[in-house]
Amino acid sequence: MVGAGMIGAIHRRAAALAGARITGVLASSPPRSAQVAAEWQVPAYPSLDALLDDDSVDVVHICSPNATHAPFAMRALAAGKHVVCEKPLAVSVADGERMAETARSSGLVAAVPFVYRYHPLVREIRARRIDGEFGGWHLIHGSYLQDWMLSPQASGWRVDPVAGGPSRAFADIGSHWCDLVEWVSGERFAEVTASTSIAVDKRPAAGSRTFASADSPDPSSEYMDVRTEDCAALLLRTASGVLASTTVSQVSAGRKNRLWFELDGARASAVFDQENPETIWLGGEDGARVISRDPGHGSAEQRRLSVLPPGHAQGYAECFEAFVADTYAAIGGDRPEGLPTFDDGLRAARITEAVLRSSRNGSWTEV
């Protein structure tokens, strides 16, 4: 495990549940590595070289800041290790292209955790689309809203474009929305016109104060100018001409992690809300109905991923666990449906770059 923050802990838990033995952890500094190693009861690696030289390591999970993804993943692939790399895969298209090409030529498994693909009812909508239930799409729309950056005191490495890359809100969560909607709908976004905004123009410098309360600002904090977006609004057109729109925000009060989409087809529509993942809404001209997750009904993939009985809520954690289990199954030679790879991470980098270009030039921009 490279990186030991919140997402590193989620990777570690999913890996352990999938049957992996955690050989060790490399965090942001030797003291931090030692601290997490003690908590996880695993060894601490002194360096990336030491980790990659360990012949017992089959898979490297990269959960470190965005700017480290490309160099760390390239070194891991060169060392013959399979890689699970957090998103955004790369902070530039050029890096993403090199990473995806290296992964393809290596023959190794290289996966990116676009884990919302693993909600069982997401699979149900996709299966119904493949079966032709909805007809051709007329309109695609939705949003991904959070509020964890609402406080002017909230900050961290993601705010710094050197560590986090030139895009924050869109690269972090808008990329999830686009990946999920493309995968479920079967459409590919071909062009975009976008606008981004910065709601809070100064935040504590990374390391001086992170995720503080708005009611208790620290007067000793050093502040930096914010150069990455808090919000983005997109109008998109797919390769087949379908119009789409989405709104992305990390400053929407009360919205904790609301990824929501609606797909409106010629015969029927479908809605999914990540904060309420146990049901989907299906609309028709004669009315609408709500479908519940149920391992005894529905598509094969919905049933495969439904690991709990109906009415026993499962959500993000189970999605992550299923993603890691499928990654390890792919390493073993299986071909699990929908496993997101470095090619999907590159796709997200291309969409992100198009969003930033469009926001700068104010015009329709090809993806």
Side-chain angles (χ1 to χ4, degrees), residues 299-320:
S299 66
E301 279 292 288
Q302 190 268 138
R303 286 182 273 120
R304 176 178 80 90
L305 294 172
S306 290
V307 296
L308 297 175
H312 297 72
Q314 64 178 76
Y316 177 82
E318 287 81 8
C319 289
F320 217 104

Side-chain angles (χ1 to χ4, degrees), residues 6-323:
M6 177 275 290
I7 201 65
I10 291 173
H11 277 255
R12 175 246 184 179
R13 182 178 186 275
L17 289 172
R21 178 175 64 87
I22 311 300
T23 62
V25 60
L26 176 66
S28 56
S29 67
R32 176 64 176 156
S33 294
Q35 175 193 348
V36 175
E39 293 171 358
W40 292 1
Q41 297 184 331
V42 300
Y45 285 109
S47 66
L48 185 62
D49 286 336
L51 185 156
L52 297 178
D53 286 342
D54 185 348
D55 290 337
S56 70
V57 174
D58 300 305
V59 189
V60 178
H61 286 246
I62 299 173
C63 317
S64 47
N66 301 344
T68 67
H69 292 176
F72 287 3
M74 294 290 280
R75 289 183 61 188
L77 291 169
K81 313 294 187 184
H82 303 284
V83 176
V84 178
C85 183
E86 261 301 326
K87 32 66 44 193
L89 178 66
V91 296
S92 72
V93 170
D95 279 348
E97 288 173 342
R98 285 191 291 270
M99 296 167 77
E101 175 54 36
T102 298
R104 286 191 296 267
S105 62
S106 71
L108 297 163
V109 173
V112 178
F114 285 122
V115 298
Y116 298 121
R117 294 185 182 193
Y118 282 85
H119 278 296
L121 288 177
V122 161
R123 301 274 171 142
E124 183 68 22
I125 295 173
R126 184 172 185 269
R128 289 168 182 258
R129 183 267 297 174
I130 292 171
D131 287 344
E133 179 173 323
F134 303 107
W137 300 121
H138 288 334
L139 182 67
I140 296 170
H141 51 113
S143 60
Y144 196 158
L145 309 176
Q146 299 176 332
D147 71 356
W148 67 281
M149 294 299 290
L150 182 63
S151 167
Q153 299 302 311
S155 192
W157 62 260
R158 292 182 185 276
V159 178
D160 181 0
V162 174
S167 171
R168 176 168 33 96
F170 186 81
D172 189 20
I173 60 176
S175 60
H176 266 301
W177 190 92
C178 289
D179 174 82
L180 186 64
V181 167
E182 284 195 331
W183 188 71
V184 173
S185 71
E187 294 287 333
R188 298 278 279 184
F189 298 128
E191 54 182 344
V192 59
T193 182
S195 184
T196 63
S197 66
I198 296 171
V200 180
D201 60 5
K202 290 186 182 294
R203 294 186 184 272
S208 66
R209 188 171 180 88
T210 304
F211 305 118
S213 168
D215 298 326
S216 57
D218 183 352
S220 66
S221 293
E222 295 180 7
Y223 284 76
M224 60 181 174
D225 292 331
V226 175
R227 292 179 285 161
T228 54
E229 78 281 356
D230 292 303
C231 310
L234 283 64
L235 186 64
L236 306 112
R237 190 176 289 115
T238 72
S240 66
V242 178
L243 200 62
S245 67
T246 191
T247 303
V248 175
S249 169
Q250 293 181 324
V251 290
S252 294
R255 296 299 188 185
K256 301 305 176 183
N257 198 46
R258 189 178 188 260
L259 187 162
W260 181 94
F261 69 75
E262 177 166 337
L263 309 175
D264 295 332
R267 289 194 289 272
S269 299
V271 171
F272 175 77
D273 179 355
Q274 199 279 149
E275 287 189 338
N276 297 285
E278 290 288 272
T279 61
I280 52 175
W281 180 94
L282 300 177
E285 192 173 9
D286 58 349
R289 56 191 172 129
V290 174
I291 302 295
S292 296
R293 181 187 61 81
D294 188 342
H297 298 87
S299 66
E301 279 292 288
Q302 190 268 138
R303 286 182 273 120
R304 176 178 80 90
L305 294 172
S306 290
V307 296
L308 297 175
H312 297 72
Q314 64 178 76
Y316 177 82
E318 287 81 8
C319 289
F320 217 104
E321 292 155 15
F323 158 73

